[in-house]
Amino acid sequence: MSYTTKQWMLKEPTGDNIDVTKAFNLITKQVSARDLKEGEVLAKTVYISHDPAQRCWIHRNNVEGRLYRTPIGAGEPMEAFGVAEVLETRNKSYKTGDLIVATVHWTEYGIITPDNIYFKSFGDAADMVTLGLTGMTAYFGLLNVGAATPKDSTIVVSAAASSTGAIVCQIAKNVLGIKNVIGIAGSDAKCAMLTRDAGCDIALNYKSPTFRQEFEAATPNDIDLYFDNVGGEVTDMALLRMKDRGRVVVCGAISIYDRIHEKGGNVGISRASWLQVICHQVKIEGFIIFQFADQFPRALGDLATWTQEGKLKLMKDIIQTDITEVPKGMSTLFKGENNGKLITQLKV
Amino acid sequence: MSYTTKQWMLKEPTGDNIDVTKAFNLITKQVSARDLKEGEVLAKTVYISHDPAQRCWIHRNNVEGRLYRTPIGAGEPMEAFGVAEVLETRNKSYKTGDLIVATVHWTEYGIITPDNIYFKSFGDAADMVTLGLTGMTAYFGLLNVGAATPKDSTIVVSAAASSTGAIVCQIAKNVLGIKNVIGIAGSDAKCAMLTRDAGCDIALNYKSPTFRQEFEAATPNDIDLYFDNVGGEVTDMALLRMKDRGRVVVCGAISIYDRIHEKGGNVGISRASWLQVICHQVKIEGFIIFQFADQFPRALGDLATWTQEGKLKLMKDIIQTDITEVPKGMSTLFKGENNGKLITQLKV
């Protein structure tokens, strides 16, 4: 069967400080089951996840050949993590009607290659988007890269009200039982949510004029683990407060994705805090979730169990809209206007 | 017995960009065996080591309470790693005439507390200075923090002609048999030494106008391990060339010790290279040698064995002078004018 679909294509790789809603062209095209190759499925997009990393995929200033995936080129389809419903299949593992967790295009109907299909959705498919990528990011970042810390330790999480951050805080408090979980976010409302719902003992608004003093007051015994989603000034501040052998998990750097080359392009780590890396034997480690691909099933199982046990509340911010509004979701994410995991539920 | 001694005291903790030779006062005082407490020795200083880290010990802009040791305060005696000859002793492990490897003062005669005595010197005492602190720094940084890498890997060492750097390069090549050992130094003469004597396959002069291109050409398959002694631009350049799961060992940062707060005090890591930490899952880890104190005997044994086997050539730059010239040694070190481990042999 053949489907008429609207789909967003990247105009061209972008620079810094752009309005992302203007970076894409909406086209109309046909997709047909006749085009399916072995292993592929033709699917209707159900959920489209909006994630900070997507900003890097479309940025022309990536160091050539050194992004963790092939960047999206001029005229190429925009991609996202998401859930799709299989309509036609040449993949023996997935049948018509299955909901699959996959890398999808910003499209109503599309063909998905086997390497972009991760697993069959179970339970609530919107939870799958939340647990599947950002939940697993929190899981591997905190447990594998950060390594379990004693309960009597201090963990600081930046962009703590983000989808990944909120799960990091909850695993730290509700699963590991960590004593001091400190979340940093960009509004008082987010901070209130962090202490009320996300297991934070203290939540700090980084836009407060007294943030630096509040940060120091909140970490009198220094930091065992800093889970970094933002980069920049907050990271610098954390480096000045690390314990001996403290660990910095570099999960993301949303504060710099849209200004890689602005103002000399410095990440904002001071000499004084770099010296702390030596003096306090700090370990800083970056990661991407796909390095743990062989452990996805275990992680997803744990996360689903903890959700059922009430240890994780999944905060979802679902936009129900048609394909024309999808780029606005990306813009909303970068303005920090979402509350919880931002997902477009596609009306097709 | 009582000894008249000349000794250098720090005038006051310093700022950036200073002439270190003017930071100290030379005093004359008496030291007497009657002042010895249990465990202490009275010793004549034989060798005084000049090490980059000493610059941090006297800098007022350390983050308060967060240097790995107590900084040296106004009017307090300047300290150094060194070798001294025991003249009088209240320590059962060390007798008169023993040469001890210790933290000494910039003094002719002085009392050394038991926590500042590391071990009895064996073999050539100047070798002990070279192997004892900087050799062990190279050893633990490369083998413990950096972790042994497969022979078919690329290791880059900054300040490779420094005492620590030259030993890192030689252990990498002559002990581990690493295929690509690349040293970076600040003159063509040092680079010639690195390829001739220190096991480097390639040596690059960072003052060359085409250094960046040479650096890229020298690392076509990227970097497994970057052993960092300098910080700043070279570190930034290395971060842009790391392999997946590559490791950065942060041993020192001599390029910033004298300008911690200059020009905004940024360490010089760009946003683009910070993103590489994520994309390529880079691990950056600082260390100080004292975290491995329990393994000093094994390290020193290995280093001495490798030296006897000809695998390590110890490059020493020994200044024979009296106490009045000691601060000039520190200045020589920071100008990069030494060739190999810079040591003052004290004429008393």
Side-chain angles (χ1 to χ4, degrees):
Chain A
M1 212 180 130
S2 184
Y3 302 80
T4 302
T5 188
K6 287 202 173 68
Q7 178 169 357
W8 288 101
M9 316 300 271
L10 181 64
K11 285 180 185 166
E12 58 185 358
T14 74
D16 286 335
N17 291 311
I18 55 145
D19 176 354
V20 290
T21 64
K22 299 198 172 124
F24 306 95
N25 277 326
L26 189 63
I27 64 161
T28 302
K29 69 175 199 183
Q30 293 293 120
V31 288
S32 167
R34 279 178 319 220
D35 301 330
L36 283 178
K37 297 192 187 72
E38 186 60 35
E40 294 180 340
V41 302
L42 192 157
K44 183 170 77 164
T45 310
V46 179
Y47 289 114
I48 290 172
S49 175
H50 297 286
D51 297 292
Q54 289 173 291
R55 185 69 186 84
C56 297
W57 305 351
I58 64 170
H59 202 293
R60 95 167 74 90
N61 284 324
N62 291 305
V63 185
E64 200 181 332
R66 293 191 59 85
L67 191 62
Y68 61 92
R69 49 156 287 156
T70 310
I72 296 171
E76 291 182 352
M78 182 57 186
E79 297 177 16
F81 188 69
V83 169
E85 180 188 344
V86 175
L87 302 178
E88 320 237 2
T89 177
R90 287 191 65 189
N91 186 311
K92 292 191 183 87
S93 304
Y94 305 101
K95 62 182 193 300
T96 300
D98 280 352
L99 288 179
I100 55 171
V101 176
T103 292
V104 301
H105 293 147
W106 279 4
T107 190
E108 296 170 301
Y109 299 95
I111 289 171
I112 305 177
T113 55
D115 53 312
N116 281 321
I117 306 174
Y118 304 118
F119 45 82
K120 199 146 83 170
S121 177
F122 57 92
D124 179 323
D127 284 358
M128 276 299 113
V129 176
T130 308
L131 289 180
L133 193 67
T134 55
M136 289 203 293
T137 300
Y139 181 99
F140 291 114
L142 185 64
L143 303 177
N144 289 44
V145 184
T149 49
K151 291 188 182 191
D152 185 24
S153 44
T154 297
I155 292 186
V156 174
V157 182
S158 60
S162 71
S163 52
T164 297
I167 296 179
V168 171
C169 293
Q170 292 178 80
I171 296 176
K173 177 58 74 181
N174 302 336
V175 178
L176 300 179
I178 299 295
K179 190 171 168 193
N180 305 301
V181 178
I182 299 162
I184 299 170
S187 75
D188 290 341
K190 286 179 179 177
C191 287
M193 181 280 286
L194 286 173
T195 48
R196 189 183 61 232
D197 298 325
C200 287
D201 299 287
I202 298 173
L204 302 176
N205 183 345
Y206 70 83
K207 291 177 183 165
S208 159
T210 53
F211 173 58
R212 182 174 285 270
Q213 294 92 300
E214 292 164 31
F215 186 83
E216 291 179 2
T219 53
N221 300 313
D222 296 332
I223 303 169
D224 294 270
L225 180 66
Y226 170 57
F227 194 105
D228 188 18
N229 290 307
V230 299
E233 273 176 54
V234 180
T235 305
D236 191 59
M237 226 176 271
L239 283 175
L240 289 168
R241 308 284 294 178
M242 299 306 293
K243 274 188 201 165
D244 280 0
R245 317 299 312 264
R247 298 176 302 289
V248 175
V249 175
V250 191
C251 175
I254 196 170
S255 78
I256 62 177
Y257 291 159
D258 196 37
R259 50 189 194 103
I260 294 178
H261 289 270
E262 187 193 293
K263 287 190 203 158
N266 212 300
V267 78
I269 294 176
S270 64
R271 295 188 195 121
S273 61
W274 188 253
L275 293 183
Q276 296 291 310
V277 174
I278 304 174
C279 291
H280 292 278
Q281 311 129 56
V282 175
K283 187 172 86 173
I284 301 170
E285 189 166 353
F287 77 103
I288 52 169
I289 187 176
F290 299 107
Q291 80 192 69
F292 300 106
D294 59 328
Q295 301 173 55
F296 281 0
R298 172 172 65 81
L300 211 63
D302 284 348
L303 289 163
T305 303
W306 297 336
T307 306
Q308 283 161 2
E309 293 172 353
K311 290 176 180 162
L312 300 185
K313 289 183 201 171
L314 303 182
M315 294 155 213
K316 293 168 280 189
D317 188 341
I318 299 178
I319 315 168
Q320 292 179 312
T321 183
D322 69 18
I323 188 75
T324 62
E325 301 286 310
V326 174
K328 283 190 191 163
M330 188 172 190
S331 170
T332 298
L333 180 74
F334 271 83
K335 288 179 191 153
E337 294 170 348
N338 54 308
N339 285 299
K341 176 67 202 148
L342 189 66
I343 303 168
T344 291
Q345 182 174 19
L346 211 60
K347 292 192 282 189
V348 179
Chain B
M1 212 182 132
S2 184
Y3 303 80
T4 302
T5 187
K6 287 203 174 68
Q7 177 169 357
W8 288 101
M9 315 301 270
L10 181 63
K11 286 181 186 167
E12 57 184 358
T14 72
D16 287 335
N17 291 309
I18 54 144
D19 177 353
V20 290
T21 64
K22 302 205 170 115
F24 306 94
N25 277 327
L26 189 63
I27 64 161
T28 302
K29 69 175 197 183
Q30 293 293 120
V31 288
S32 167
R34 279 178 317 221
D35 302 330
L36 283 177
K37 297 193 188 72
E38 186 60 37
E40 295 180 340
V41 302
L42 192 159
K44 183 171 77 164
T45 310
V46 178
Y47 289 114
I48 291 172
S49 175
H50 298 286
D51 297 292
Q54 289 173 290
R55 186 68 186 85
C56 297
W57 305 350
I58 63 169
H59 202 293
R60 95 168 74 89
N61 283 323
N62 291 305
V63 184
E64 199 182 332
R66 292 191 58 84
L67 191 64
Y68 61 92
R69 50 157 286 158
T70 310
I72 296 171
E76 292 183 350
M78 181 58 184
E79 298 178 14
F81 189 71
V83 170
E85 181 189 342
V86 176
L87 302 178
E88 321 239 2
T89 177
R90 287 192 63 189
N91 186 311
K92 295 192 181 84
S93 304
Y94 304 102
K95 60 179 194 302
T96 299
D98 279 352
L99 289 178
I100 55 171
V101 177
T103 292
V104 300
H105 294 148
W106 278 4
T107 192
E108 296 170 303
Y109 298 94
I111 289 172
I112 306 177
T113 56
D115 53 312
N116 282 321
I117 306 174
Y118 304 119
F119 45 82
K120 198 146 83 171
S121 177
F122 57 92
D124 181 322
D127 284 359
M128 275 299 115
V129 177
T130 309
L131 289 180
L133 193 68
T134 56
M136 289 204 293
T137 300
Y139 182 98
F140 291 113
L142 186 65
L143 303 177
N144 289 44
V145 186
T149 49
K151 292 190 180 192
D152 185 25
S153 44
T154 297
I155 291 185
V156 173
V157 182
S158 60
S162 70
S163 52
T164 298
I167 296 180
V168 172
C169 294
Q170 291 178 80
I171 297 175
K173 176 59 74 182
N174 302 337
V175 177
L176 300 178
I178 300 294
K179 190 170 168 192
N180 304 301
V181 178
I182 299 163
I184 300 170
S187 76
D188 290 342
K190 287 180 178 178
C191 287
M193 181 279 287
L194 286 173
T195 48
R196 189 185 61 232
D197 297 324
C200 287
D201 300 286
I202 298 174
L204 303 175
N205 182 345
Y206 70 84
K207 293 177 181 165
S208 159
T210 53
F211 173 58
R212 182 174 284 273
Q213 295 92 303
E214 291 164 32
F215 186 82
E216 291 179 2
T219 53
N221 300 313
D222 296 331
I223 302 168
D224 293 88
L225 180 66
Y226 170 56
F227 194 105
D228 188 17
N229 290 306
V230 299
E233 272 177 55
V234 179
T235 304
D236 191 61
M237 226 176 269
L239 283 175
L240 289 167
R241 307 286 292 177
M242 299 305 293
K243 274 189 200 165
D244 280 0
R245 317 299 312 263
R247 296 177 303 290
V248 175
V249 175
V250 190
C251 174
I254 196 169
S255 78
I256 63 177
Y257 293 158
D258 196 36
R259 51 188 192 103
I260 293 178
H261 289 270
E262 186 193 294
K263 286 188 204 159
N266 212 301
V267 77
I269 294 176
S270 65
R271 295 188 192 119
S273 61
W274 188 253
L275 294 182
Q276 296 292 309
V277 174
I278 304 174
C279 291
H280 293 278
Q281 309 129 57
V282 175
K283 187 172 86 173
I284 301 169
E285 190 167 352
F287 77 104
I288 52 171
I289 187 178
F290 299 105
Q291 77 192 76
F292 300 107
D294 59 328
Q295 301 172 55
F296 281 1
R298 174 172 63 80
L300 210 64
D302 284 348
L303 289 162
T305 303
W306 297 336
T307 306
Q308 282 160 3
E309 292 172 354
K311 289 176 180 164
L312 299 185
K313 288 183 201 169
L314 302 183
M315 293 157 214
K316 291 168 282 189
D317 189 339
I318 299 178
I319 315 168
Q320 291 177 312
T321 183
D322 68 19
I323 188 75
T324 63
E325 301 285 311
V326 174
K328 283 191 191 161
M330 189 173 191
S331 169
T332 299
L333 180 75
F334 272 82
K335 288 180 190 153
E337 293 171 349
N338 55 308
N339 285 300
K341 176 66 202 145
L342 189 66
I343 302 168
T344 290
Q345 182 174 17
L346 210 59
K347 291 192 281 190
V348 180

